[in-house]
Amino acid sequence: MGIKDHRGRPRTPDRLDSATGLAGRQDALRVPGQLFGVLRRIRYDPVLLFFLMLIAAIGLVAGYSASEQSVVWVEKSAFRFALAFLLMLVIAQIPQRVFFAVAPWLFVSVVLMLVAVWLVGDIGKGARRWLDLGFIRFQPAEMLKIGMPMMLAWFLAKRPLPPRFLDVVVALTLLAVPTVLIVMQPDLGTAILVMMAGLFVLFFAGLSWYYVLAFVAAVSAAAPLMWFYVMHDYQKERVLTLFNPMADPLGAGYHTIQSMIAIGSGGIWGKGWLQGTQSHLNFLPEGTTDFILAVYAEEFGLMGLIILFSLYLAVIWRGLYIAAYAESVAGRLLAAAISMTFLVYVFVNAGMVIGILPVVGVPLPLMSYGGTALVTIMIALGMLMSIRTQRSFLGHER
């Protein structure tokens, strides 16, 4: 005989729970339990995610000040960040073998699109960089910031390492063709990032220092030819302005001069949040995009810069750590290249803001306002997380 309740009905577990109120409590616990189970199945790197979210938070704080305290700007930026982080997590769920399976097809497709841009591309601000398909207008070159390291990692991982002479020649050819097409648009900033991403793959593949020195010598020898026959007048002007911005203080040198004044006036501790005069009195152009670092430095000073660059270095360190323990050669090369390309983003932006590099329009990751560059960076970081969650890490920390 089973247990019966006070009405003589069999007391099943559900009725027992209903009688005691346990059913409701169990249902209440089941939902968060299921949600926790779903979250546990999401593959991501919590350390990397933590540092990225801190940088994004600083970007919103600095952007609020640079945008003249625009709540609308902050809302738009926060929405973009949310979509970008979601995209990163989606990419992190994709097995890394998928990246390398599509790498050659992606590379060939983008190179063909670059040829199409050269022939019939859309012109804007004096450059032929966009491809207009009627329903969407985009820059194919942006895709190569990811496609180039994917392609070279896929190519070199199938060959003995360190790469032999013939493999190096093929890899440099794969690197040179799209880079030249991007330079012809012209888009020097993107060309530098694409070229560096490919060179990092070659370097981490164990490229001999003889090849590295030979490449440096070749670039040095080609520099005069590039100056006279490749570079446009405005690009030459940017280089000349780098050495003497005061030669044209109201023209080519204006951005650099105002940026240096903003950074220098910030001192060690800064003027305080929302107290920057260079940005709020409209002396500093492009305060929410390429020159947001100058706005941040003026208000938070040297100490703020140390904190921000420490976070960027933490992201790069984590990326190289993931590369060191990646399970596959291709994964290791791609992770290392992504990490070092992230470093190039930061170095080039900071360099042009403080006046040691020409102004080439490279954004500061997770700080500068912009959609395309943010998407590109977050896709790359999603790949980094995918490589992280599929490695053994010598048997610990899965």
Side-chain angles (χ1 to χ4, degrees):
M1 293 180 61
I3 302 174
K4 296 183 179 180
D5 59 15
H6 66 282
R7 295 180 178 175
R9 297 177 301 182
R11 296 187 63 181
T12 63
D14 289 343
R15 285 179 176 166
L16 280 172
D17 292 344
S18 298
T20 58
L22 288 175
R25 287 198 288 271
Q26 288 177 347
D27 289 340
L29 293 173
R30 189 174 297 123
V31 174
Q34 291 173 344
L35 180 60
F36 182 70
V38 172
L39 292 176
R40 287 193 62 184
R41 286 196 290 273
I42 296 177
R43 294 184 298 187
Y44 66 100
D45 185 86
V47 178
L48 188 58
L49 181 63
F50 174 72
F51 291 134
L52 293 174
M53 292 183 72
L54 284 181
I55 296 173
I58 293 176
L60 289 176
V61 170
Y64 178 69
S65 177
S67 63
E68 300 296 336
Q69 305 175 37
S70 170
V71 177
V72 175
W73 186 94
V74 173
E75 290 176 347
K76 288 183 178 179
S77 295
F79 182 69
R80 290 183 180 219
F81 279 144
L83 290 180
F85 274 92
L86 180 61
L87 175 63
M88 179 184 68
L89 293 177
V90 170
I91 297 295
Q93 313 311 305
I94 301 174
Q96 58 175 295
R97 64 177 181 277
V98 176
F99 303 146
F100 301 113
V102 303
W105 304 104
L106 174 66
F107 180 82
V108 173
S109 301
V110 176
V111 171
L112 291 176
M113 284 190 282
L114 289 176
V115 174
V117 168
W118 178 52
L119 294 174
V120 296
D122 210 11
I123 299 176
K125 297 182 179 179
R128 190 189 295 272
R129 301 174 182 173
W130 292 268
L131 201 59
D132 192 350
L133 301 181
F135 62 95
I136 187 172
R137 182 174 179 266
F138 66 102
Q139 288 182 260
E142 282 291 329
M143 301 168 66
L144 269 182
K145 293 177 183 176
I146 303 171
M148 179 59 74
M150 288 172 60
M151 177 64 192
L152 292 187
W154 170 82
F155 173 76
L156 293 172
K158 294 179 176 297
R159 285 155 179 80
L161 297 180
R164 297 169 299 185
F165 176 75
L166 184 59
D167 295 332
V168 173
V169 171
V170 174
L172 288 178
T173 303
L174 293 173
L175 179 60
V177 171
T179 301
V180 170
L181 288 172
I182 297 172
V183 170
M184 291 167 60
Q185 291 182 355
D187 188 351
L188 190 58
T190 302
I192 291 174
L193 291 171
V194 170
M195 183 181 68
M196 294 306 298
L199 290 177
F200 282 132
V201 175
L202 271 169
F203 178 77
F204 285 106
L207 188 68
S208 168
W209 281 104
Y210 293 110
Y211 289 121
V212 175
L213 294 176
F215 177 79
V216 173
V219 171
S220 302
L225 297 177
M226 292 183 62
W227 179 267
F228 289 108
Y229 300 107
V230 177
M231 295 181 68
H232 295 259
D233 290 340
Y234 78 92
Q235 292 172 331
K236 295 177 182 177
E237 186 179 46
R238 288 179 179 180
V239 175
L240 294 175
T241 302
L242 172 68
F243 297 104
N244 185 17
M246 295 304 296
D248 188 6
L250 298 179
Y254 183 78
H255 287 66
T256 302
I257 293 172
Q258 296 303 322
S259 175
M260 292 170 67
I261 292 174
I263 295 173
S265 63
I268 295 178
W269 301 103
K271 296 177 179 176
W273 190 38
L274 307 178
Q275 303 302 315
T277 53
Q278 288 299 109
S279 57
H280 293 293
L281 296 178
N282 295 323
F283 287 110
L284 187 63
E286 306 293 342
T288 59
T289 53
D290 293 345
F291 285 83
I292 193 172
L293 184 64
V295 177
Y296 175 78
E298 183 182 19
E299 297 187 351
F300 295 93
L302 177 63
M303 300 309 295
L305 287 176
I306 290 175
I307 293 173
L308 180 61
F309 287 132
S310 297
L311 291 173
Y312 279 125
L313 289 176
V315 171
I316 296 163
W317 161 79
R318 187 63 180 176
L320 294 176
Y321 179 78
I322 292 171
Y325 293 101
E327 285 187 334
S328 67
V329 174
R332 182 168 69 247
L333 296 178
L334 179 60
I338 289 173
S339 305
M340 296 307 294
T341 304
F342 192 85
L343 172 63
V344 172
Y345 265 101
V346 177
F347 177 76
V348 172
N349 181 274
M352 71 181 195
V353 170
I354 63 177
I356 62 171
L357 290 176
V359 178
V360 291
V362 173
L364 189 62
L366 296 170
M367 291 280 288
S368 299
Y369 185 82
T372 306
L374 180 62
V375 168
T376 304
I377 292 171
M378 298 309 275
I379 289 177
L381 293 171
M383 290 180 173
L384 202 57
M385 287 193 177
S386 172
I387 296 170
R388 150 70 177 88
T389 56
Q390 295 171 50
R391 57 91 178 94
S392 59
F393 267 34
L394 299 180
H396 67 276
E397 192 186 341
R398 185 68 184 173

